[in-house]
Amino acid sequence: MQQVDISALRESYRAALNHSNAITDVISTDQFSASYDERPDWAIGPFRRDESLTFELTGQWDDPTGIGWTSDSIFNPTMIARGDELHLFYRASPRKESTASRIGHAVHRPGVGWTDDPANPVIFPTLENETLGCEDPKVYAIDGRYVMFYNAIRSIAGSPHGETMPSPDFPFGDIGCDIMIAVSDDLVSWEKRGLAVPYEVSKLWAKGAVIPRNGAGEAVRIGGEYLMFLSEGCGGVPTIGRSTDLLDWRFERQPYLDLGEVGGSLYEVACAVVGARDEHDLVLDFFYSDPDGQFAAAQALYSTNAPFTQLALNRGGSLAWGGLLQVDGDWIFAQGWDAPKHTREMYVYRSMKTERAETE
């Protein structure tokens, strides 16, 4: 793959500085995860903010692309534990939910708190398909190493994609989205490995490399293989991936989610959790449009013995795009949607499951 065009990066950044969206500008984590109408034993959450773990990004990183890039908002992170450290990987953007994003890294240590990585950004545009940014990291531990999946965004305006990669059931306009892979031995230095989902599968748009992981952030084999739930793109075809190492994947059509009683339509699966209540429980946490056209979250229950057979559904979810992590018996995740405008804060949310068990 060719290197990124710097002039295109500069134009992407300028456009991002003017980004505004009346809907996403006011989106709040609490509207999805602070309360559930029903609380079945298998559901994870609800959640409330843990003020002791708030992260704030101060100052501006040195810009490795040389275009004078700066960030105004941080959001859509993933967290993973290593020993007693929490590692946070987050999307930094010129404006909230804009393109032209980079991926940063911070570490929380007991007695010290959060320290932003001086090497940031750890992932930034270097390839031709990353012209509009690198977004929304998802990190998984596997055999002593770490694999990150992130979205590479690019313009496909003027290309013959409608003819070469038709996507009649999932129209997406002039922007393409690729799922990319990076690997690390230490959660600090990352090596890009390229596309996770080939174009003949993605049809030039795929998001959400959701791989079941446990409370420690480790990818979990199901039926002897790792599974990837793809929920946005792929020509509108429900698709799953299979791999033995998280690096090389094969894909197949596989329906797995029925909104049934909650109604509406799916946007994207956020994360997949194994072992929240029982070792065989698999919970998909997802983002959807409810029957009234409003943003909503829900969770679906499966068994690892039959990972595509839906057993139950419940409205309310974390929308933890980078996955849920278990710390001190509670499930936690981070999100920056609720930070005041022009304030780069990341809040950590903790499940209220333990509290409920103690009071019932």
Side-chain angles (χ1 to χ4, degrees):
M1 190 171 288
Q2 295 181 359
Q3 298 300 296
V4 69
D5 182 287
I6 296 300
S7 62
L9 273 186
R10 186 174 291 109
E11 181 58 34
S12 167
Y13 173 55
R14 288 172 180 165
L17 290 173
N18 295 315
H19 174 83
S20 180
N21 184 302
I23 297 176
T24 59
D25 281 352
V26 297
I27 198 168
S28 170
T29 300
D30 285 343
Q31 75 189 77
F32 306 110
S33 65
S35 64
Y36 298 172
D37 293 337
E38 303 290 337
R39 299 178 70 179
D41 288 343
W42 60 266
I44 308 171
F47 297 82
R48 65 181 176 190
R49 192 184 302 180
D50 182 344
E51 303 286 355
S52 70
L53 288 174
T54 296
F55 166 68
E56 182 178 8
L57 178 61
T58 59
Q60 291 290 346
W61 305 331
D62 290 337
D63 174 24
T65 68
I67 64 169
W69 180 93
T70 58
S71 63
D72 178 78
S73 180
I74 59 175
F75 53 100
N76 290 6
T78 186
M79 282 199 301
I80 196 163
R82 185 177 67 178
D84 60 1
E85 298 175 343
L86 289 177
H87 288 255
L88 176 72
F89 295 87
Y90 56 90
R91 174 177 170 183
S93 296
R95 296 291 183 267
K96 183 179 179 182
E97 293 287 350
S98 76
T99 56
S101 299
R102 315 288 190 257
I103 294 173
H105 172 226
V107 184
H108 184 279
R109 298 179 177 88
V112 176
W114 289 106
T115 302
D116 201 48
D117 191 334
N120 279 333
V122 293
I123 298 288
F124 60 94
T126 59
L127 302 172
E128 61 181 341
N129 68 331
E130 299 173 345
T131 303
L132 296 183
C134 302
E135 306 178 348
D136 302 351
K138 300 178 188 292
V139 176
Y140 303 90
I142 173 175
D143 300 330
R145 302 191 75 196
Y146 303 93
V147 178
M148 176 193 294
F149 297 84
Y150 66 94
N151 296 334
I153 311 299
R154 72 194 188 286
S155 172
I156 54 175
S159 72
H161 65 271
E163 299 175 4
T164 59
M165 297 287 176
S167 181
D169 295 324
F170 189 85
F172 53 87
D174 292 334
I175 295 178
C177 181
D178 297 335
I179 297 176
M180 305 290 282
I181 299 175
V183 297
S184 175
D185 291 320
D186 58 7
L187 290 172
V188 176
S189 300
W190 293 86
E191 175 192 354
K192 292 182 179 181
R193 290 291 188 90
L195 282 174
V197 185
Y199 291 138
E200 57 266 29
V201 175
S202 74
K203 308 300 182 184
L204 304 184
W205 186 283
K207 285 181 69 178
V210 173
I211 296 161
R213 72 176 200 173
N214 61 21
E218 299 166 330
V220 176
R221 289 178 181 267
I222 294 177
E225 297 178 300
Y226 299 107
L227 301 180
M228 179 190 294
F229 291 85
L230 292 172
S231 52
E232 185 175 312
C234 297
V237 175
T239 301
I240 62 100
R242 298 179 184 273
S243 175
T244 59
D245 60 4
L246 297 190
L247 302 179
D248 295 312
W249 293 87
R250 64 187 191 280
F251 296 91
E252 63 192 55
R253 180 181 182 129
Q254 175 61 67
Y256 59 82
L257 183 61
D258 180 0
L259 296 189
E261 62 205 67
V262 301
S265 58
L266 178 67
Y267 286 129
E268 187 177 351
V269 175
C271 62
V273 180
V274 173
R277 177 193 61 171
D278 176 88
E279 63 175 331
H280 294 297
D281 277 1
L282 169 63
V283 175
L284 297 189
D285 188 297
F286 63 92
F287 181 41
Y288 72 105
S289 173
D290 72 13
D292 296 323
Q294 300 299 307
F295 288 163
Q299 295 176 352
L301 175 67
Y302 306 77
S303 168
T304 56
N305 295 316
F308 312 124
T309 302
Q310 186 173 308
L311 302 175
L313 197 64
N314 190 62
R315 178 159 178 155
S318 67
L319 296 190
W321 303 113
L324 289 160
L325 192 66
Q326 196 164 36
V327 174
D328 299 327
D330 293 326
W331 293 93
I332 68 171
F333 70 96
Q335 185 54 272
W337 284 338
D338 292 293
K341 192 172 184 179
H342 307 307
T343 301
R344 293 170 300 165
E345 292 181 342
M346 186 73 68
Y347 305 120
V348 174
Y349 297 82
R350 185 178 293 270
S351 68
M352 291 182 267
K353 199 76 164 183
T354 300
E355 176 185 300
R356 182 182 69 166
E358 291 173 350
T359 57
E360 287 183 346

